[in-house]
Amino acid sequence: MSVPLKILVPVKRVIDYAIKPRVNATRTAIETSNVKHSMNPFDELSIEAAVRMREASTPGPKKSSSPSPTVSDILALSAGPAKCVDVLRTAMAMGADRAIHVEIDPKAGGGEGGAEGEQGELEPLGVAKLLAKVVESEERNLVILGKQSIDDDSNQTGQMLAGLLGWGQATQAQAIQFEEDGEGWKVRVTKEVDGGVETVRSPLPMVVTTDLRLNEPRYASLPNIMKAKKKKLEKKTLKDYGVDGSRRLRVVKVEEPPPRKGGGKVENVDGMIARLKELGAI
């Protein structure tokens, strides 16, 4: 008998993708006060992927013709300040069954401007350690998370988590499929690489990170937003999981990128080549 999927989907609250980030007055971090925040776009893809897996295995118009394991639970998790509850409610409105909020004070530790406290925003390794503990306590067998967050673009957490758990991993997924054989379910992931696509296959349990071409996330409808308010949302702390959130890195300085110089026009190809030689480009 095949084991049903228990999916963990970590989500992060970040500055909205449509907002232009600004450096704070002390040049130690990006200004986050009074700035619109939303769910990390790559994490929206992860929630959508998990919900579609459940729909594919459930009788109805969206049931997949290809084999798909039963999904018994979709758990969303976010670690951060109190306002992270907003993105968790959005995740549940999109289809997650329940959520866990690991509360972290962004100003804990007294760092400069609250940006570099001893227990401020978790670094990728800290997040991976936390997720590993949640996987163990919640008995998860599949973790789907965005390949990166758009605030720090680290692209490290998924890989670190797979290493800590000793699980198979597939990064930057643009397609996820399931195959069943005599040994159980296998996950088949297609991803883009330089010059083409690559397909990897691994048995469960597994860690998958998502890329932009995987799907198009649904909007949370008003009825589902209202239903999400009744879904279970647990409050936890790092101490509950025995995780040390101390930072190992210190941001020395943050600066705006230099303004781009205007381009120039040339009359013909010979003029372009001459200009490139002047600039030392060729």
Side-chain angles (χ1 to χ4, degrees):
M1 183 176 179
S2 61
V3 178
L5 290 179
K6 292 185 176 181
I7 306 175
L8 172 64
V9 184
V11 296
K12 186 176 183 181
R13 177 178 177 267
V14 299
I15 294 177
D16 190 85
Y17 72 93
I19 302 297
K20 181 180 178 181
R22 294 179 292 106
V23 177
N24 64 12
T26 58
R27 294 189 177 184
T28 56
I30 298 299
E31 182 61 63
T32 58
S33 300
N34 301 317
V35 177
K36 181 183 177 183
H37 285 67
S38 59
M39 187 189 301
N40 180 47
F42 291 101
D43 298 335
E44 291 181 345
L45 301 169
S46 303
I47 289 288
E48 180 66 24
V51 174
R52 290 190 185 189
M53 287 176 188
R54 179 168 56 197
E55 292 174 342
S57 64
T58 304
K62 295 185 179 180
K63 180 175 174 60
S64 174
S65 58
S66 58
S68 182
T70 302
V71 177
S72 65
D73 184 51
I74 300 174
L75 170 63
L77 178 139
S78 188
K83 291 184 179 180
C84 286
V85 170
D86 296 339
V87 298
L88 288 172
R89 291 294 182 194
T90 300
M92 290 189 287
M94 292 175 67
D97 298 305
R98 57 194 181 94
I100 294 177
H101 176 212
V102 181
E103 294 185 274
I104 300 175
D105 183 356
K107 296 184 179 181
E112 295 178 86
E116 300 175 358
E118 291 299 315
Q119 196 178 1
E121 182 176 323
L122 290 176
E123 294 173 345
L125 180 58
V127 177
K129 289 180 177 180
L130 171 61
L131 296 180
K133 293 291 186 179
V134 175
V135 165
E136 180 182 352
S137 63
E138 297 290 337
E139 299 180 335
R140 303 289 102 177
N141 56 6
L142 179 62
V143 181
I144 308 175
L145 66 162
K147 70 172 185 177
Q148 65 196 72
S149 60
I150 61 172
D151 51 3
D152 59 19
D153 286 322
S154 293
N155 193 358
Q156 297 174 348
T157 302
Q159 295 89 323
M160 289 179 172
L161 175 61
L164 291 172
L165 294 172
W167 289 7
Q169 63 173 302
T171 58
Q172 302 169 203
Q174 70 171 28
I176 304 174
Q177 297 173 310
F178 291 93
E179 302 172 354
E180 188 176 21
D181 56 23
E183 299 179 354
W185 288 103
K186 302 291 191 299
V187 186
R188 184 184 180 93
V189 176
T190 303
K191 59 179 183 176
E192 287 190 3
V193 295
D194 292 340
V197 295
E198 179 182 63
T199 300
V200 296
R201 186 170 176 264
S202 174
L204 292 170
M206 189 176 184
V207 176
V208 178
T209 70
T210 58
D211 205 350
L212 291 175
R213 289 178 177 79
L214 177 60
N215 57 50
E216 184 176 344
R218 68 194 66 192
Y219 288 102
S221 65
L222 181 58
N224 287 334
I225 291 173
M226 300 305 294
K227 291 178 183 177
K229 294 181 179 180
K230 299 180 180 179
K231 292 184 178 181
K232 185 178 180 181
L233 194 157
E234 297 181 69
K235 296 281 189 178
K236 297 282 189 178
T237 65
L238 291 177
K239 289 184 179 180
D240 293 332
Y241 293 105
V243 175
D244 179 13
S246 299
R247 296 181 65 86
R248 293 167 172 79
L249 303 175
R250 183 173 66 88
V251 178
V252 177
K253 190 176 183 181
V254 178
E255 292 183 315
E256 294 274 1
R260 296 183 63 181
K261 297 180 179 179
K265 292 184 178 181
V266 294
E267 297 295 331
N268 48 42
V269 175
D270 291 337
M272 180 183 69
I273 295 173
R275 181 58 178 158
L276 289 174
K277 287 182 178 179
E278 290 177 11
L279 295 173
I282 57 174

